[in-house]
Amino acid sequence: MTEQDFILKSYDSDLNEGAVKWTSPSNIALVKYWGKRAHQIPENPSISFTLSNCKTITEVSFTKKEGSDFSFDVYFEGEKNEAFKPKIQTFFERIEAYVPFLRDFHFKIDTSNTFPHSSGIASSASGMSALALCLMSIEKQLGVTHNTDFFNKKASFLARLGSGSACRSIEGELVVWGQNKSTASSDLFGVRYAEDVHANFKNYQDTILLVDKGEKQVSSTVGHKLMFGHPFAAQRFNQAHENLEKLTAILKSGDLDEFINIVESEALTLHAMMMTSMPYFILMKPNTLEIINKIWSYRKESDSKLCFTLDAGANVHLLYPENEKDTVLRFIENQLSRYCQNGHFIEDQVGKGSECVKN
Ligand code: DP6
């Protein structure tokens, strides 16, 4: 498929108003997206677990308006929010060719998250995917017919233009984004991972340790740009292809030791890229390292398959099989929660993707 396939050419213009509502989850990458070209095309393929509890709930009400400017108001957790507007304005500008009805209506965007906003958990993936899904439902109300496959592809395509990782939040339980030779894939949207997945990964757990709830020192968008001219960029992009290929075999065989090797290496490589860019950043905090060391000792002392991954921040995602849920939670409570801000962590697990509330 190409970009052209997503351009909406005609629609019923008699609709005057309506409302749609979706929930969409966050996701956690196993092979990381870090580096992009123009138009949100990733430099390398990535794969993520879709989450279940960490999600955004967005309702979009729309009324026909005069004039051709974009017109919208954003409410976050019931209160009018000006801070989100520029990001949504940019999003609308990027996608208007594909959803030209954006200029026909005034939109009221009412959004909230199930996780605390100041938790340092990236809300762009869940937020942008929820909004993209709402726009697809509006497209449907405008008399455009599409099957579920096209609906999801275009939702993911639009979400990508809002935030790259958001294109991996439409479906579950594993989603690949970025062309590669190991899986069905596209640079334009996320594709549900359709290869065999071993029972070891069923209901895989993700407990997010909130080490630092503050604003990020460097936004992902700025971070991605630092991969231009980065001395290790080409090697890193190749490595992501290799790691994805290895991971497809691991997901099939259920080899959790090899899974740990790839996932932890990817997390540390992401941070190594930030530490070796110009300018350079360290986004891990002392407590991030304390937690990593504790996990490594815990694995040495037990036969646990607990491992960690990181986003572009200090928080730590703990990934582990469902059958270790009780023991790992006890370990977190006894030994890791002390490194979290106010002792906070969020229990989540792999999920099935977005859900329509009002179509
Ligand atoms: C470190 O999707 O937030 O979480 O496309 O600029 O919005 P933009 O970036 P974003 O980058 C996320 C990068 C990451 C790794 C990943 O999720 O793959």
Side-chain angles (χ1 to χ4, degrees):
M1 286 181 92
T2 70
E3 276 101 340
Q4 304 298 318
D5 298 314
F6 295 111
I7 296 176
L8 175 60
K9 298 198 179 75
S10 68
Y11 56 94
D12 172 5
S13 56
D14 292 340
L15 186 69
N16 283 321
E17 57 178 24
V20 295
K21 188 171 182 178
W22 279 85
T23 73
S24 190
S26 186
N27 68 70
I28 180 67
L30 305 173
V31 173
K32 307 289 180 182
Y33 150 56
W34 198 245
K36 62 179 165 184
R37 294 180 222 141
H39 308 294
Q40 300 277 104
I41 298 300
E43 289 279 15
N44 66 258
S46 57
I47 182 168
S48 51
F49 274 140
T50 306
L51 296 183
S52 181
N53 302 332
C54 290
K55 56 189 181 193
T56 297
I57 304 135
T58 299
E59 176 160 20
V60 177
S61 333
F62 53 99
T63 43
K64 201 50 152 291
K65 69 160 181 67
E66 299 298 319
S68 65
D69 285 350
F70 293 135
S71 170
F72 62 91
D73 287 317
V74 187
Y75 290 79
F76 180 64
E77 275 155 14
E79 307 231 336
K80 205 163 186 177
N81 184 302
E82 296 298 326
F84 289 164
K85 284 189 92 172
K87 238 192 147 177
I88 295 178
Q89 175 77 26
T90 306
F91 180 45
F92 278 12
E93 286 163 10
R94 285 184 191 163
I95 63 174
E96 65 161 316
Y98 309 102
V99 278
F101 56 84
L102 281 183
R103 294 192 186 272
D104 299 348
F105 297 101
H106 171 76
F107 298 96
K108 180 177 178 232
I109 302 167
D110 227 313
T111 189
S112 59
N113 296 329
T114 56
F115 48 89
H117 180 57
S118 57
S119 60
I121 295 184
S123 57
S124 67
S126 55
M128 284 298 173
S129 55
L131 185 53
L133 286 155
C134 286
L135 296 176
M136 285 308 294
S137 280
I138 296 173
E139 182 168 304
K140 210 168 154 187
Q141 288 198 8
L142 289 166
V144 183
T145 50
H146 8 55
N147 60 29
T148 309
D149 182 56
F150 183 84
F151 185 99
N152 285 341
K153 274 191 182 135
K154 186 165 173 184
S156 175
F157 172 85
L158 296 176
R160 182 195 105 240
L161 292 166
S163 177
S165 57
C167 79
R168 299 188 312 236
S169 276
I170 307 295
E171 295 181 90
E173 301 177 333
L174 282 153
V175 178
V176 178
W177 169 43
Q179 237 165 45
N180 69 87
K181 65 176 172 61
S182 312
T183 71
S185 57
S186 168
D187 279 345
L188 300 179
F189 46 82
V191 174
R192 190 166 187 268
Y193 184 75
E195 313 294 318
D196 288 345
V197 178
H198 193 277
N200 282 351
F201 297 104
K202 192 168 181 276
N203 295 331
Y204 223 66
Q205 304 291 304
D206 180 4
T207 301
I208 307 157
L209 304 184
L210 304 178
V211 171
D212 183 19
K213 305 184 194 174
E215 278 287 310
K216 284 195 232 170
Q217 296 165 36
V218 50
S219 75
S220 295
T221 305
V222 171
H224 289 289
K225 287 209 182 102
L226 296 174
M227 290 305 280
F228 279 114
H230 190 293
F232 308 136
Q235 292 95 320
R236 160 58 197 155
F237 302 145
N238 280 337
Q239 180 200 40
H241 282 272
E242 285 162 17
N243 281 346
L244 179 59
E245 186 175 1
K246 288 180 190 154
L247 197 59
T248 56
I250 293 166
L251 289 169
K252 190 172 177 183
S253 71
D255 187 334
L256 293 175
D257 294 318
E258 282 303 314
F259 179 78
I260 293 170
N261 288 339
I262 300 284
V263 168
E264 292 189 346
S265 164
E266 274 289 320
L268 295 179
T269 299
L270 169 70
H271 283 254
M273 289 300 111
M274 300 186 232
M275 287 193 255
T276 50
S277 60
M278 194 57 82
Y280 40 80
F281 297 94
I282 300 182
L283 296 191
M284 288 186 275
K285 297 280 182 198
N287 281 349
T288 312
L289 293 176
E290 294 284 359
I291 291 166
I292 291 174
N293 281 310
K294 280 271 184 304
I295 293 168
W296 286 345
S297 328
Y298 180 72
R299 271 214 310 267
K300 241 188 203 146
E301 294 156 8
S302 65
D303 57 2
S304 174
K305 305 300 179 194
L306 169 66
C307 73
F308 71 85
T309 188
L310 307 165
D311 268 342
N315 294 338
V316 184
H317 287 248
L318 300 189
L319 299 177
Y320 51 99
E322 190 181 26
N323 64 14
E324 289 194 41
K325 198 170 168 178
D326 294 343
T327 44
V328 169
L329 281 176
R330 225 171 303 133
F331 168 61
I332 293 170
E333 267 153 23
N334 294 338
Q335 296 206 46
L336 300 183
S337 63
R338 73 183 71 149
Y339 302 113
C340 302
Q341 269 193 7
N342 309 319
H344 281 168
F345 56 88
I346 296 177
E347 287 176 53
D348 209 339
Q349 63 174 27
V350 168
K352 297 204 181 303
S354 59
E355 283 174 26
C356 183
V357 184
K358 197 189 298 176
N359 209 341

